[in-house]
Amino acid sequence: MATVVTRVQVHFQQGGQQNQASYVVKINPCRDDALPEEINHMLFEKEIDFYTKIAPELNSVLTAGGHDEIRVPRFVYSCMQLLNELIFLADLRPRGFKMFDRYKGQDEAHVKLVMQEQARLHASSYVLQTRLPNRNLIDKYPSLKKDWLNMTGEKKKTFTNMMAGSYSNAVVILRKIGGYEKVAKWMEENTQNCLDTVLKQITPVPPFEVLCHGDCWNNNMLFRYNDDGTPAEVMLLDHQITRVASPATDLNYYFFTSVSSDVRRPNLESFLTCYYSTFSSIIQAGGAEIPFSMSELRQEFRDKMLYGLMFAVIAFPFIMIDPAGTPSAEDIMGKDAREKLETWREQHITDDTLKSPLMRTRFLDTLDDMVEAGVIS
C-alpha cells in the first residue's frame, strides 16, 4: 500500500569465487494521488528506526533472559533522502519462508506461532520500558509518536475518507445480502466519527502499554515449514506503523483480518492463553512484574474489539477479491477515494462474491461476533 517491494540480485566475486545474494527492497512509490509524501517519509522513518534502534534493544532484553531474538528480516541498508527512501532487507525466500494463502484463513498451528511472536515483541518492549528512567518508550524513540492516524487537516480528511469508504462498502454489501439491517444502520451512524473512534482505541492506558506492530495481518508475515508441512517459524514484516498501544489492538487486528471464524471462535481462549504464557515468561525472565492478569487480558481484548472490526472492514476487499481486482492505494486514499471505491464496488461485488463461503466465515461471522459482544449495538 505505502511502498513498492521488489528484489535485487547481487552477483559478486569474493576470494576468487563467484557468489550471489538476493535482497528485498522497499521503495517509495512516489505516487501522485495516494499518501502525501511527508506521510510516506514518516513511514520509512518509523520502519528504519525500528530495525536500527528499537529491534537491537529488544533483542538485548530477550537474549539476556535466555530467549531468541525477535523474528524479523535482517536489516541491511537504508536511505532516508526525501522521494528516494528505500530499505534493503535480507531475502527470506532462500530460507524457505513464504506467505500463507490469505483466502484460507490461518489454522491453529499458524495462529499459535503468531501468538508467541506477538507476545515476544510486546513483552520485550514492556521490559525495556521498565528499565527507562521515565518508563516511556516514546521519549526514547520519538518516531513512535508519529502515526498516520494522528494527522490533522487535509491529511486527517484523507484517512477519514478511507475508513468511511470502507464502512460505505460494507453497508451496500449488507443491504444486498439482507438480514443485517441493524448492523448497516449502526455503520451508517458511525461513519463520520470512525477515525476518532480508532484513535481512542490506540491511546495507551496503563498497564496495557507495549510496542505494537500496528499492521499485524496475514500479508505482513511469512512462515517457514518443516518437511511434513507443519509451520515451524514465523517472521513479522512491515514495521512501518509501530506504535505504543494496547497489545489487544494487535491481537484483535490479527484475529479479525487473518483467522476465519471456524478457527477463531472455538479456540480463542486457548490462543489468548498461548499468548499470555509466552508474554509472562519473557516478563519474568526480564526481571519485571507481570503487568496484567489473564482475566484482565480477556477484558482488554473485548474492549478493543472495535479496533478489530474497523480493520476487518478495511481488509475485507483484499481478502475476498482476486488480487487483480483489489483496490489500489489511489482508490482507497486518493482525493476521489469515495467515488473510486463506489466504482470498484459496482465492478467487483457480484452475486458470486456475495454467495462465497468467505463472505460468511471472514466477514459476516465477524459482524455476528461484534453484535454478540455488544460492540455493535
Side-chain angles (χ1 to χ4, degrees):
M1 189 66 71
T3 61
V4 169
V5 181
T6 187
R7 283 187 173 88
V8 172
Q9 282 197 324
V10 180
H11 298 267
F12 61 97
Q13 188 176 45
Q14 185 177 36
Q17 299 293 318
Q18 295 294 326
N19 293 284
Q20 66 178 32
S22 62
Y23 303 94
V24 169
V25 187
K26 303 181 71 170
I27 307 169
N28 184 348
C30 299
R31 299 187 183 102
D32 293 331
D33 193 25
L35 289 176
E37 283 306 333
E38 63 186 278
I39 296 181
N40 264 333
H41 189 79
M42 175 198 71
L43 295 177
F44 274 92
E45 177 189 2
K46 287 173 70 69
E47 185 156 30
I48 291 168
D49 273 6
F50 174 81
Y51 282 114
T52 60
K53 299 176 182 178
I54 302 175
E57 296 267 24
L58 301 181
N59 287 334
S60 294
V61 168
L62 289 167
T63 55
H67 292 273
D68 293 337
E69 296 184 349
I70 56 173
R71 294 180 174 90
V72 297
R74 178 173 58 85
F75 171 82
V76 178
Y77 174 78
S78 66
C79 173
M80 273 297 293
Q81 181 183 3
L82 187 65
L83 301 181
N84 289 291
E85 299 92 343
L86 58 80
I87 303 174
F88 272 71
L89 300 167
D91 186 358
L92 297 173
R93 183 176 51 177
R95 293 174 54 189
F97 283 90
K98 56 186 177 180
M99 189 179 294
F100 186 87
D101 184 351
R102 69 176 182 271
Y103 296 112
K104 294 180 180 179
Q106 294 181 15
D107 58 26
E108 291 180 56
H110 289 82
V111 173
K112 288 186 176 179
L113 279 179
V114 176
M115 287 297 95
Q116 291 166 351
E117 198 54 35
Q118 280 196 3
R120 284 159 40 78
L121 172 66
H122 296 162
S124 58
S125 72
Y126 183 83
V127 172
L128 176 60
Q129 185 171 247
T130 64
R131 297 175 181 177
L132 300 177
N134 58 358
R135 299 174 65 93
N136 192 324
L137 286 173
I138 294 176
D139 285 349
K140 185 173 176 63
Y141 309 110
S143 63
L144 292 177
K145 189 174 184 178
K146 301 177 182 180
D147 200 302
W148 66 280
L149 290 172
N150 259 336
M151 296 296 160
T152 58
E154 284 300 312
K155 300 179 203 64
K156 180 177 180 179
K157 186 177 179 181
T158 295
F159 294 114
T160 298
N161 287 340
M162 177 189 76
M163 293 184 173
S166 298
Y167 263 26
S168 297
N169 271 344
V171 168
V172 171
I173 292 168
L174 293 175
R175 293 248 157 86
K176 285 185 177 182
I177 292 173
Y180 282 83
E181 288 75 15
K182 290 183 178 180
V183 175
K185 185 174 183 295
W186 180 90
M187 285 188 168
E188 284 182 325
E189 292 172 348
N190 288 275
T191 294
Q192 293 307 316
N193 64 354
C194 55
L195 178 58
D196 291 333
T197 300
V198 170
L199 284 171
K200 290 179 182 177
Q201 292 269 292
I202 64 170
T203 301
V205 178
F208 298 99
E209 293 179 287
V210 300
L211 179 71
C212 290
H213 182 283
D215 197 13
C216 194
W217 81 294
N218 186 87
N219 285 23
N220 286 339
M221 55 189 70
L222 299 176
F223 294 93
R224 180 179 62 79
Y225 296 85
N226 292 325
D227 292 340
D228 62 0
T230 58
E233 187 178 3
V234 63
M235 288 274 186
L236 299 185
L237 316 175
D238 290 339
H239 300 271
Q240 294 182 315
I241 310 181
T242 52
R243 62 168 66 97
V244 175
S246 168
T249 59
D250 266 356
L251 295 172
N252 271 285
Y253 191 114
Y254 169 68
F255 279 127
F256 290 106
T257 61
S258 309
V259 185
S260 57
S261 59
D262 55 345
V263 173
R264 183 181 66 247
R265 285 176 173 174
N267 297 295
L268 182 58
E269 178 67 18
S270 67
F271 291 154
L272 292 178
T273 299
C274 175
Y275 170 90
Y276 190 73
S277 175
T278 301
F279 181 89
S280 301
S281 68
I282 291 171
I283 295 291
Q284 290 173 326
E289 183 176 341
I290 300 173
F292 48 80
S293 67
M294 180 66 192
S295 61
E296 289 172 327
L297 175 63
R298 289 192 199 97
Q299 183 60 48
E300 180 69 2
F301 179 84
R302 160 61 186 82
D303 292 344
K304 295 298 184 288
M305 285 179 70
L306 185 56
Y307 186 83
L309 169 63
M310 185 70 251
F311 286 94
V313 172
I314 292 174
F316 169 69
F318 301 92
I319 297 168
M320 290 291 300
I321 308 300
D322 183 88
T326 53
S328 68
E330 290 85 349
D331 293 337
I332 291 177
M333 292 180 285
K335 296 177 182 177
D336 303 317
R338 288 201 179 190
E339 292 81 359
K340 289 180 178 179
L341 281 173
E342 185 175 341
T343 301
W344 171 85
R345 184 171 60 232
E346 292 172 354
Q347 293 174 343
H348 295 285
I349 300 298
T350 64
D351 288 341
D352 287 342
T353 304
L354 298 177
K355 294 175 184 177
S356 165
L358 290 178
M359 181 65 72
R360 165 55 61 188
T361 61
R362 304 301 294 281
F363 186 60
L364 297 182
D365 282 353
T366 291
L367 300 180
D368 291 342
D369 286 353
M370 297 296 166
V371 171
E372 182 180 343
V375 175
I376 296 177
S377 57

